[in-house]
Amino acid sequence: MDDEYRTVAGATVHEIEVRRSRFLCALAPVDTEERAREVIAARRKAEPAARHHCHAFVLGADGRTQRSNDDGEPAGTAGAPMLEVLRRRELTNTVAVVTRYFGGVLLGAGGLIRAYGQAVADALDEAGTARYRRLRVLAVTVDYGRAGRMENDLRESPYPVQGTSFGAQARFEVGVRESERDEFARWLADRTGGAARAEEAGEHWVRLDP
């Protein structure tokens, strides 16, 4: 199970020109094929006069789902080089749509391959990327006498607090990597003298600083 992935930092549209043909590359972070196809459809609607709307996307923390389409360009000259850029940059949960306005000069197969790949690469350079990490969420409960100290200790620890609530006891939802669970259990026991309880509460993808 992959616990970390990289995707485009945000939605963007970047344009390049190659021998009078305009290539507009739209990038967006997506987490499902349905959402990727919504982005593709939106680009078709936004640029109805364009001759081609080629696309590529990679999905899943492991990047297992990969799709590309040449949309009328010669086979292998658009979608495949676009997909190759995403794979080379080790990106997933990312869709790229390149809209082409023909400028009257034939580029040839090699020229198209270079242009579509460059359109995606330049758009990625413009947009930047973001990393996400899968964390196990553990619900830590303590009595109110220890709650203030517990919250301070958590805020100063490497374990991010995902949420807090206060009922019969104070409850802190803490993000912990799978490989850190034993270490966290020892840390928690040391800080509370064994008075706190931690229970599984699902998982969460957390965006990391660049």
Side-chain angles (χ1 to χ4, degrees), residues 145-181:
R146 298 176 182 270
R149 175 66 181 274
M150 183 80 266
E151 183 169 16
N152 288 337
D153 286 346
L154 284 169
R155 299 293 181 188
E156 294 174 359
S157 79
Y159 310 112
V161 176
Q162 305 295 301
T164 59
S165 60
F166 301 95
Q169 290 185 304
R171 185 176 190 268
F172 303 95
E173 292 186 351
V174 184
V176 179
R177 299 182 73 174
E178 186 67 36
S179 60
E180 297 172 336
R181 292 187 65 168

Side-chain angles (χ1 to χ4, degrees), residues 5-189:
Y5 71 84
R6 186 180 296 275
T7 184
V8 64
T12 190
V13 179
H14 182 74
E15 180 176 342
I16 67 170
E17 184 174 319
V18 179
R19 300 183 68 186
R20 299 206 300 269
S21 280
R22 296 170 57 212
F23 295 82
L24 288 75
C25 179
L27 297 170
V30 293
D31 55 8
T32 65
E33 185 162 344
E34 179 182 10
R35 178 61 187 136
R37 297 202 179 279
E38 287 175 355
V39 173
I40 296 164
R43 292 302 299 155
R44 290 183 181 279
K45 186 175 181 179
E47 305 285 347
R51 295 182 61 171
H52 306 284
H53 301 277
C54 308
H55 70 259
F57 58 84
V58 182
L59 299 172
D62 57 1
R64 182 173 300 177
T65 300
Q66 302 181 4
R67 303 280 188 273
S68 65
N69 187 280
D70 296 312
D71 194 38
E73 294 282 30
T77 63
M82 292 168 62
L83 182 61
E84 179 59 26
V85 173
L86 297 181
R87 289 193 299 218
R88 191 167 63 244
R89 298 286 184 100
E90 298 183 332
L91 298 177
T92 188
N93 285 2
T94 301
V95 60
V97 186
V98 175
T99 297
R100 181 191 180 197
Y101 287 94
F102 181 55
V105 178
L106 295 175
L107 302 182
L112 288 172
I113 290 170
R114 288 189 294 273
Y116 277 100
Q118 180 187 345
V120 177
D122 287 1
L124 285 169
D125 290 341
E126 182 77 14
T129 61
R131 287 189 302 137
Y132 284 80
R133 177 175 293 163
R134 187 202 310 266
L135 297 179
R136 290 292 180 187
V137 179
L138 301 178
V140 176
T141 53
V142 294
D143 60 52
Y144 281 99
R146 298 176 182 270
R149 175 66 181 274
M150 183 80 266
E151 183 169 16
N152 288 337
D153 286 346
L154 284 169
R155 299 293 181 188
E156 294 174 359
S157 79
Y159 310 112
V161 176
Q162 305 295 301
T164 59
S165 60
F166 301 95
Q169 290 185 304
R171 185 176 190 268
F172 303 95
E173 292 186 351
V174 184
V176 179
R177 299 182 73 174
E178 186 67 36
S179 60
E180 297 172 336
R181 292 187 65 168
D182 290 345
E183 179 184 337
F184 176 75
R186 290 191 294 270
W187 178 90
L188 185 62

